[in-house]
Amino acid sequence: MNLRTVTTTPFDDQKPGTSGLRKSVIDFQKPHYLENFVQSIFDSLEGCEGQTLALGGDGRYYNRQAIQTILKMAAANGIGKILVGQGGILSTPATSCIIRKYETFGGIVLSASHNPGGPDGDFGIKYNIGNGGPAPEKVTEAIFDRSKTISEYKILEAADVNIDRIGSFKLGTMEVEVIDSVVAYVELMQSLFDFDYIHQLIADKGFKLCIDSMHAVTGPYAKAIFERHLGASEGTVINGIPLEDFGQGHPDPNLVYAKELVDILFGDNAPDFGAASDGDGDRNMILGRNFFVTPSDSLAILTANAHLVPGYKNGLSGVARSMPTSAAVDRVAAKLGIGCYETPTGWKFFGNLLDADKATLCGEESFGTGSNHIREKDGLWAVIFWLNILAVTGKSVEQIVQEHWQTYGRNFYSRHDYEAVETKPATQLMENLRSAVGGMKGTKLGAYEVEYADDFSYTDPVDGSISNKQGIRIGFTDGSRIVFRLSGTGTKGATLRVYLERYEPDSSQHDRDPQEALADLIVLADEVAKIKALTGRDRPTVIT
Ligand code: VG1
Ligand code: CO
């Protein structure tokens, strides 16, 4: 085995976005592209020599090749040991679980999450720190800086490692331990939730559910949990076999891309409960029979009912949500008398709050919820949390949500995405808004009066770090909001996200269609941002 030092030149586009570096597979297949980024990670990690790292991915195309390259580079860079998921598979929450359980130095997650996969799809890589969470900005910036000046990388010349067989062996002086991808994660779920109670609901009370893994990473996890431990019949998990191209699908659990599941839950003889998860298993969509739960509401409902669940029965220290997420959870936090934090988009901003025990539950409008059990959002965790609440209360999903609205009022909410628009007009649109918000306060927009308008800036309450330019928000005196952001995970052109929210206390109005309840804000958003004029699009690509 030879240690080789390979001369390389920098790429100028390796800046990690909302959640790591995401590019097309074709980009990652360029000579040295992956290697440059991986070496930049190792070069930025002080004291990683001799340490243990976790490694795994969502199983998409290029996962297996990338794992082999990373193992050989880790060995050449003096890493002591790598824990790698069998077959190279670890969901993002499972990686976080492994990092914490084995107290590793950190971990590398290979995923482009909800982006499509396959030879023409996307690939991604991110580094997680020792708390199990995505690296904070100061680490991702160091990695990016390094990638701009890199001139060589180190790799061991060796045969490929057998990552399909569980066990330990040596790669150079480094130890590689291939671990079961599922077991530790399932044990963690069992420690938080009342599996017996949920088992009774499913096996004895005839409660029917359908779990859509979208041919992505959660298949083996979902089968173990729902079909083996919780008594659901075989076939409860659909699209449960992970495929490198996700069966040509778009593994994003929303009403548009999880159409098969939506059709089942809104069809004849629908089951009581449905859920889907994304490519890397950190997102969730919750459905009842003929009923969709908005992710922002889901976070609020989990918060309000957490005391019913063993892992949270002693109460929550606080909650946190990303800025564009609706304020439904704020109302619950106020009633519970606990702290409520508003962070920029991306799970990395929750890490400090969870570590400092300022927040126990966190969530994002983008179908992400999680807690202090790990430091990533966790799709199946949210699903089991819901089942635990349903088992304890004996209520239906719809009943739980309706009663929640009655108690707290409803935050009508919707996100409109304009995907893959041209970068230049999208940047222009944001620039225009940025220069306009300064003068908006106190002015009238349609029937609404602007209470505040700014480009969101966040000061981390734990380490004082500041993150600017996190999205344009225009808040009105009646509590309604419009938020504009450009996506940091897309790989084609720019994706404009418009987030709309309006609070409705009157329960006679709660059954309205959100698009109708938000109609005047939707019109206003276009007037203010000139979306149609600048992007040439007359409607969003995806509405959630
Ligand atoms: C999107 C979501 C954000 C989420 C991120 C990663 O980012 O809006 O809430 O944290 O994806 O999710 P953006 O920058 O495209 O809006 V995932 O499931 O990739 O890990
Ligand atoms: Co994801």
Side-chain angles (χ1 to χ4, degrees):
M1 263 180 264
N2 268 333
L3 193 146
R4 212 152 62 91
T5 301
V6 181
T7 306
T8 187
T9 48
F11 293 89
D12 61 5
D13 64 348
Q14 297 198 321
K15 186 177 169 63
T18 311
S19 185
L21 181 68
R22 290 195 190 159
K23 297 282 173 199
S24 68
V25 166
I26 293 166
D27 281 325
F28 268 103
Q29 286 171 327
K30 287 180 196 157
H32 311 314
Y33 194 88
L34 173 71
E35 290 86 345
N36 274 17
F37 191 73
V38 173
Q39 187 65 51
S40 301
I41 295 177
F42 291 138
D43 288 349
S44 318
L45 299 180
E46 256 170 60
C48 65
E49 295 79 19
Q51 300 281 355
T52 301
L53 295 176
L55 172 64
D58 63 10
R60 66 178 60 224
Y61 185 82
Y62 207 56
N63 195 59
R64 294 180 74 92
Q65 291 95 312
I67 295 255
Q68 295 294 345
T69 302
I70 295 168
L71 286 173
K72 290 170 197 172
M73 288 186 66
N77 277 277
I79 301 299
K81 178 174 175 178
I82 298 258
L83 296 171
V84 58
Q86 190 177 15
I89 300 279
L90 281 177
S91 75
T92 294
T95 312
S96 189
C97 162
I98 296 292
I99 293 172
R100 295 173 67 78
K101 176 170 176 168
Y102 297 102
E103 297 181 354
T104 71
F105 188 78
I108 294 177
V109 182
L110 303 177
S111 171
S113 186
H114 52 288
N115 296 13
D120 308 319
D122 288 340
F123 191 74
I125 174 167
K126 72 173 176 180
Y127 180 71
N128 279 24
I129 58 174
N131 73 355
E137 280 185 328
K138 64 173 189 307
V139 177
T140 57
E141 272 157 25
I143 296 170
F144 179 47
D145 284 345
R146 180 68 192 138
S147 78
K148 290 187 279 194
T149 58
I150 190 164
S151 59
E152 57 182 42
Y153 63 82
K154 294 195 204 104
I155 188 160
L156 204 68
E157 276 187 340
D160 277 2
V161 167
N162 182 355
I163 51 172
D164 294 308
R165 215 184 56 228
I166 288 180
S168 280
F169 46 87
K170 286 274 181 191
L171 182 62
T173 54
M174 184 179 83
E175 187 184 346
V176 177
E177 185 178 347
V178 179
I179 57 170
D180 185 284
S181 311
V182 176
V183 170
Y185 179 79
V186 174
E187 283 170 5
L188 179 59
M189 294 302 110
Q190 285 170 318
S191 75
L192 296 170
F193 300 110
D194 197 331
F195 270 49
D196 289 342
Y197 233 101
I198 305 172
H199 191 281
Q200 271 173 33
L201 176 76
I202 296 172
D204 305 345
K205 298 190 181 149
F207 182 92
K208 294 258 173 320
L209 64 163
C210 181
I211 308 291
D212 188 353
S213 287
M214 302 188 85
H215 284 307
V217 78
T218 58
Y221 298 86
K223 281 189 186 157
I225 291 171
F226 301 107
E227 296 182 5
R228 288 204 280 286
H229 289 283
L230 292 174
S233 57
E234 217 174 293
T236 294
V237 178
I238 60 169
N239 303 317
I241 298 174
L243 297 174
E244 286 199 329
D245 65 350
F246 309 118
Q248 307 259 306
H250 198 142
D252 197 351
N254 60 40
L255 293 173
V256 177
Y257 295 128
K259 189 171 179 308
E260 185 180 347
L261 179 77
V262 173
D263 287 348
I264 293 172
L265 267 292
F266 284 80
D268 296 338
N269 298 319
D272 302 278
F273 180 86
S277 45
D278 72 333
D280 61 332
D282 56 359
R283 296 186 179 204
N284 72 91
M285 175 171 70
I286 303 293
L287 301 173
R289 182 182 293 135
N290 281 306
F291 197 83
F292 165 65
V293 185
T294 303
S296 297
D297 280 347
S298 181
L299 173 64
I301 288 164
L302 298 189
T303 303
N305 292 284
H307 60 282
L308 302 176
V309 171
Y312 308 93
K313 66 174 188 303
N314 296 330
L316 308 175
S317 62
V319 286
R321 62 163 172 86
S322 66
M323 181 273 283
T325 303
S326 98
V329 73
D330 302 34
R331 296 178 183 276
V332 181
K335 189 166 174 188
L336 293 173
I338 58 175
C340 182
Y341 298 86
E342 185 178 41
T343 60
T345 293
W347 211 261
K348 57 180 175 275
F349 295 103
F350 293 133
N352 278 349
L353 296 171
L354 293 165
D355 285 350
D357 202 24
K358 288 180 178 294
T360 310
L361 300 191
C362 304
E364 294 190 280
E365 49 63 45
S366 55
F367 298 81
T369 14
S371 88
N372 61 356
H373 68 294
I374 52 171
R375 294 294 181 273
E376 289 277 5
K377 55 189 186 276
D378 190 342
L380 294 179
W381 168 89
V383 175
I384 311 169
F385 202 131
W386 264 94
L387 289 173
N388 203 148
I389 294 172
L390 297 174
V392 174
T393 60
K395 293 177 182 166
S396 72
V397 172
E398 176 166 3
Q399 230 177 329
I400 299 259
V401 177
Q402 296 278 5
E403 288 177 14
H404 186 89
W405 290 338
Q406 257 163 34
T407 309
Y408 295 96
R410 176 170 184 186
N411 289 68
F412 279 104
Y413 189 83
S414 185
R415 184 175 105 182
H416 289 198
D417 292 333
Y418 298 79
E419 293 180 337
V421 298
E422 277 176 55
T423 307
K424 230 175 139 191
T427 318
Q428 186 64 53
L429 182 150
M430 290 302 289
E431 278 307 322
N432 294 349
L433 286 170
R434 206 162 274 137
S435 39
V437 282
M440 274 186 193
K441 190 177 169 175
T443 61
K444 282 257 182 180
L445 289 179
Y448 294 87
E449 186 182 336
V450 178
E451 187 172 277
Y452 63 87
D454 61 9
D455 192 351
F456 182 56
S457 167
Y458 177 65
T459 304
D460 186 297
V462 179
D463 66 14
S465 58
I466 296 171
S467 304
N468 290 320
K469 293 191 170 183
Q470 297 297 323
I472 301 291
R473 12 175 237 177
I474 305 175
F476 303 104
T477 47
D478 70 342
S480 304
R481 284 197 307 170
I482 308 176
V483 174
F484 301 89
R485 269 185 76 243
L486 292 185
S487 157
T489 61
T491 56
K492 284 177 200 72
T495 290
L496 172 69
R497 304 202 194 285
V498 183
Y499 310 80
L500 306 135
E501 175 175 4
R502 185 170 80 73
Y503 179 65
E504 177 59 75
D506 177 0
S507 52
S508 74
Q509 300 294 312
H510 286 168
D511 285 329
R512 288 180 74 190
D513 172 357
Q515 300 310 313
E516 182 204 299
L518 294 165
D520 48 355
L521 286 172
I522 294 170
V523 172
L524 257 189
D526 186 59
E527 276 173 28
V528 175
K530 312 245 175 318
I531 302 171
K532 279 184 199 132
L534 283 165
T535 67
R537 300 284 179 86
D538 61 359
R539 71 177 69 114
T541 334
V542 179
I543 295 180
T544 47

